[in-house]
Every structure is written in structure tokens, then in C-alpha cells.
Amino acid sequence: ARPPHDTMGDFRGHKRHRRNDGSHMRPMMGGRGGGRGGGPTPNQELMEMREAIIHCNGSPEMLRNLAGLLAHDLPSLTEPALKFIMECVTELPVKTPVYAALVGLLNVRVPEFVEEVVRAAIEQLEQKLGSSDPDDKTRARLLLRFIACLPSVGVISAEHALECLDAIVCGAVAAADDANPGWQPRADFLVYIVLAAMPWAGGSLSAHAETGNAAEIFDVLLSSVEEYLGRRSRGPDPASMTFAAADGRADDWLEELWGRVNEVRKAGAVAIEAWQVKSVPAVVEPFAEEIAAGSVNSHTPPPIAVPKMTFTGAAEALAMFPVRPRLRALAQAQTEGLWEAGDWGPLERYVAEEYIADTLWAFEPGFRRGAVIPAAEQLGTLPLPSDHPERCQFLVAETLFGEMLALPRPAHPCAFYHIVIQDLCKAIQSFPRMMAKVVGKMFSEIGRMDLEARERLPPPAGAPPPLF
């Protein structure tokens, strides 16, 4: 029997072996020869620490052992340990809850080190928010997700996390107030990364909001989001529409995400379980007692200042902050269900799309870390729900095509997406059938498809060769 989250899976066992022995990450960690007398050199010890943090899989035993080893070596290795943890937070998108749990366990033994983690997270978030590097936009989203998870492990209070989230939304509202040329794409991005943290942290923030003044801050945060949405221009950028709207009315990517979060928010007011997302591992639960003991060491993060950015116009802003790619070729029932009780909720599809896009980003060939594991292998091990494997494969196929057909340009070369799709078809026997349904649906609507997007699609089986 496969593990509970094995929904894509015929190469899971092989890939897990490669991950655990660390062979796929060796190029970025240097040599492993011994020092004089056969003992490890200081540099080797640091690399072994880094390797242990990278490969922490979130199991209770591994997390406890790793936290104990790191606590033993601190504070003498504070600087490298801090660097390695923050590197993993910003470069391994699927494992945010794992590193939040690790920091929560460290907070019990070495709170002074965790205070440095909190400070570094805020400082790096400010830096990424002011950067024009496309990769830094992804890192800013991951850092904010990590910060939003810290109240669930007793590292910071819910009030402080919510104040950080609210400061970013206020930055978007301030941009709307100033109304400088091209303000909306970047302001949309700020609101997006706040909403993007909710599937991972909305439940814990809502639960903590029952006490203190967190409830008021939580309401203010979501009210600020609603205020912002009411002030922006609704509807997609015409240059980013892969398909023209069939009824003349195109939905808005940010409004869709807000609708999903707000649907869960309303259900969560009745039952907190509504915030549970099957794709987000409940890593923290086995450590409830330890984390409760460490919560007395709760830290106060420094206030965050959202850097302002100016643009010459909408074209420059949209090039720097494009809309989030989406493809809705199949019916909702095929890809996520109808949000019925006991089935997938509104946030499940969004989390799956984030996992897929972030995995492509992290393991695209030529990525700065020198990782050599193909992205297709990583996609096959995502913690997607195991109760509906067909839905998961439809989602992977639809999301891959949505990323490949993104306008005005995809995040990666089209050939990369072709190779990933090819590898998935080879590795997973049922995937070609799911992908064929997505492709067939797209070709049935090709009259509404943007001409640039048509050029990126492979021709259907049996199609005649091009005339020129």
C-alpha cells in the first residue's frame, strides 16, 4: 500500500531514496572528504548540519532529533544555523510547516536563537518586498507564510503575526490612496501574498483570535482586504487572458482567491475545522505539549515597513508583477469537487496550484542551487490528498498547461513544461489519459484562445504538419 499522500506516485520510492541519501543535493554542499586524522573538518560539520536541515521530512522522530542536535550546537553555530534555516524556508516551498515546527521546538531550548530567526524573517521579508527580482517575489510569499505559521508553534503571538499581515495590506491600500501610475499590479501582489498565507495559517490565527485582541485585528485585516478589493479595477489584464470570456465576463484572479478564503472564513466561524486543508501536513500536532511549554518564550517581532515602489505606467508594473496564471478548462467537479461536507474545501485547489508552481520554480533546470532531481519527480511526491487521485492528476495537468500558456510570457521556457509533462506521462500510467482530457477541452475552445498561447500548444495527435 502506498503512503496516505501518494496520489501521483510510481516513482516515490526511488525518489525518496535519493532524497534521504542526499545525493541530489551534493553539488551545492561541497566535498565530503575527511580532515586530518580522518575526523570531520569544521566545514564538513557545517555542511552536515545544512544537509540535516534540508532533508528533515517532518516526522516527529526526525524533528525532535534535529532540534536536539541544533540546540546542543547553539549558540556557537548561531550564524550558520540561522542562514541554513532561512535558506530552507525560502527555497523549499512545500516544507514551510516543517521548518515552523522545528523553530517551535528550538524555542523551548534556545529561545535567544529563535528570536534571531524572527528578526531575520522580518528583515528578509522587507528586503524581498522591495526587490524587482522575480524570484524574490516568490521568496516574499514564502517568508510571509512562515511568519504567519509561527503563532501555531508558540514563537510569536497571533496579534503580532496579524499586525505583520495587516501592515502589508495597509501598504496596498496606501498605494491605492496615492494612485500613482501603475499602482495596482504591485498592490494586488501585496494583498495576494497575505491571502496566500491563509490556507497554512488561517486556522491557527482564527483559533487564537478567540482570545485577547487578536479577534479585532483579524477582522480589521480581512476588512482591509475587502476595502482594497472595492477600490481596485476589477477584471483581468486583457494581455494576460489565455481564453477570451465565453459570456463576455471574465473572472478576476484576486477576487477568486478572496472568494475561497472568505468562504472558509464564514464556515470557520461556525466550525474551526473548516480551515483544515488536506494538502497541508499537520506537522505540529505531535508536539503540542512541548510547544505549549515554549510559548512562554514568545517573541516580539520588529515592526515591518513595506517599501514603496513607483512605475512609469501600467505596462512596467504588469511586467514586474504579472497576474497569477490560472487555467479552468475542466468542470469544477473534475478538479476539486463541489465543496460538499466531508469533501475537498475551497482552499484545496489553491494549495495544489501553489505546490505545483512552486515546485517548478524550485527545481527548474539551471536553478541556482544546482539541484539535479527532475521537477517531475518532485511533482510525483507532493502531499496532495489521496482520496481523489484522478482529481489530483487533472489538477497537475491543468496547472502545468496554465503555467505554460501564461501571458504575456511563462515563468520558464516552454520546453521545460513539455519535458515535465513528458516525464509525468512516462512515470504515471494514468496521467496521459488525464492530460488528454485537458488538451481536448482546450482544443475544443481554441477559437477563444489567444494566438500567442496557441503557438505554445503541441499539435493534437493526427494533425497535419504546418504549411509554413
Side-chain angles (χ1 to χ4, degrees):
R2 289 174 179 158
H5 289 298
D6 191 1
T7 57
M8 291 288 294
D10 296 337
F11 39 55
R12 175 179 288 268
H14 172 64
K15 191 265 165 192
R16 283 294 187 200
H17 172 72
R18 293 176 67 191
R19 170 180 284 175
N20 289 337
D21 68 18
S23 60
H24 64 291
M25 302 290 260
R26 289 281 159 74
M28 75 176 198
M29 288 192 288
R32 293 180 58 81
R36 292 183 180 180
T41 64
N43 186 59
Q44 286 174 322
E45 291 180 350
L46 290 177
M47 292 304 99
E48 287 171 1
M49 175 198 291
R50 186 184 191 213
E51 185 171 345
I53 296 171
I54 288 171
H55 299 301
C56 182
N57 62 12
S59 67
E61 181 181 5
M62 182 173 284
L63 271 171
R64 281 196 177 95
N65 289 342
L66 179 58
L69 290 171
L70 289 175
H72 181 268
D73 290 333
L74 295 171
S76 61
L77 296 179
T78 293
E79 185 175 345
L82 178 63
K83 177 184 175 182
F84 298 158
I85 288 176
M86 297 311 301
E87 180 184 25
C88 287
V89 167
T90 56
E91 305 290 344
L92 296 175
V94 178
K95 298 169 74 173
T96 303
V98 173
Y99 295 117
L102 175 62
V103 171
L105 291 173
L106 288 172
N107 197 43
V108 179
R109 305 184 186 188
V110 280
E112 61 281 356
F113 170 75
V114 173
E115 185 174 13
E116 290 299 306
V117 172
V118 173
R119 178 193 54 77
I122 295 293
E123 289 180 355
Q124 289 189 27
L125 176 58
E126 281 190 6
Q127 178 190 359
K128 307 307 181 191
L129 287 175
S131 171
S132 59
D133 185 342
D135 289 335
D136 282 343
K137 293 199 293 291
T138 299
R139 296 191 185 102
R141 174 167 50 82
L142 297 177
L143 282 165
L144 190 59
R145 180 197 300 173
F146 174 71
I147 292 168
C149 288
L150 293 182
S152 67
V153 293
V155 171
I156 63 176
S157 68
E159 288 89 341
H160 287 134
L162 288 166
E163 285 171 359
C164 178
L165 295 167
D166 189 60
I168 292 175
V169 175
C170 288
V173 174
D177 288 338
D178 295 339
N180 292 321
W183 65 270
Q184 183 170 317
R186 202 260 182 152
D188 280 359
F189 168 76
L190 294 176
V191 173
Y192 159 58
I193 63 174
V194 169
L195 293 176
M198 290 299 142
W200 283 264
S204 62
L205 293 176
S206 296
H208 284 88
E210 295 174 0
T211 60
N213 65 340
E216 180 181 350
I217 301 173
F218 192 74
D219 288 340
V220 168
L221 169 68
L222 298 182
S223 296
S224 298
V225 171
E226 286 187 290
E227 177 192 348
Y228 172 78
L229 293 175
R231 299 178 61 179
R232 64 191 285 272
S233 297
R234 189 180 184 279
D237 168 31
S240 69
M241 293 179 63
T242 303
F243 286 92
D247 57 1
R249 294 182 303 172
D251 65 339
D252 184 280
W253 70 279
L254 191 59
E255 292 273 2
E256 187 208 9
L257 176 55
W258 164 247
R260 291 174 182 272
V261 171
N262 198 36
E263 191 74 22
V264 176
R265 170 199 180 189
K266 290 184 288 187
V270 179
I272 194 65
E273 294 77 17
W275 283 102
Q276 292 179 357
V277 180
K278 296 179 181 181
S279 299
V280 178
V283 179
V284 178
E285 288 182 0
F287 311 107
E289 292 185 7
E290 292 111 307
I291 286 170
S295 62
V296 297
N297 299 324
S298 180
H299 305 281
T300 301
I304 184 168
V306 179
K308 291 188 176 183
M309 299 183 75
T310 57
F311 309 93
T312 57
E316 181 189 8
L318 283 166
M320 193 177 298
F321 295 93
V323 302
R324 183 174 181 265
R326 295 180 306 145
L327 179 64
R328 301 292 184 264
L330 302 177
Q332 179 180 335
Q334 291 179 281
T335 56
E336 58 177 317
L338 301 176
W339 305 348
E340 296 170 339
D343 200 1
W344 291 13
L347 297 177
E348 206 69 61
R349 176 184 182 122
Y350 170 76
V351 171
E353 289 176 340
E354 290 289 273
Y355 279 160
I356 295 161
D358 288 345
T359 298
L360 297 176
W361 170 78
F363 293 94
E364 186 259 336
F367 186 63
R368 61 206 150 274
R369 295 180 324 202
V372 298
I373 283 190
E377 292 188 57
Q378 296 291 330
L379 290 175
T381 64
L382 294 178
L384 304 182
S386 60
D387 52 353
H388 291 286
E390 285 196 357
R391 282 185 195 170
C392 294
Q393 293 182 31
F394 276 137
L395 264 177
V396 171
E398 214 175 51
T399 305
L400 285 173
F401 278 109
E403 292 286 326
M404 184 180 73
L405 301 178
L407 296 174
R409 64 182 62 86
H412 312 291
C414 286
F416 169 60
Y417 299 102
H418 294 168
I419 292 170
V420 170
I421 292 170
Q422 245 180 2
D423 288 349
L424 289 174
C425 287
K426 290 177 183 177
I428 303 172
Q429 186 175 5
S430 57
F431 189 71
R433 178 167 52 89
M434 310 303 176
M435 187 200 66
K437 289 185 179 181
V438 176
V439 173
K441 184 63 175 176
M442 285 194 294
F443 273 102
S444 72
E445 303 288 342
I446 202 165
R448 298 190 295 113
M449 184 180 285
D450 182 88
L451 292 175
E452 164 67 22
R454 294 184 199 181
E455 293 294 322
R456 300 181 200 164
L457 271 182
L467 298 177
F468 52 88

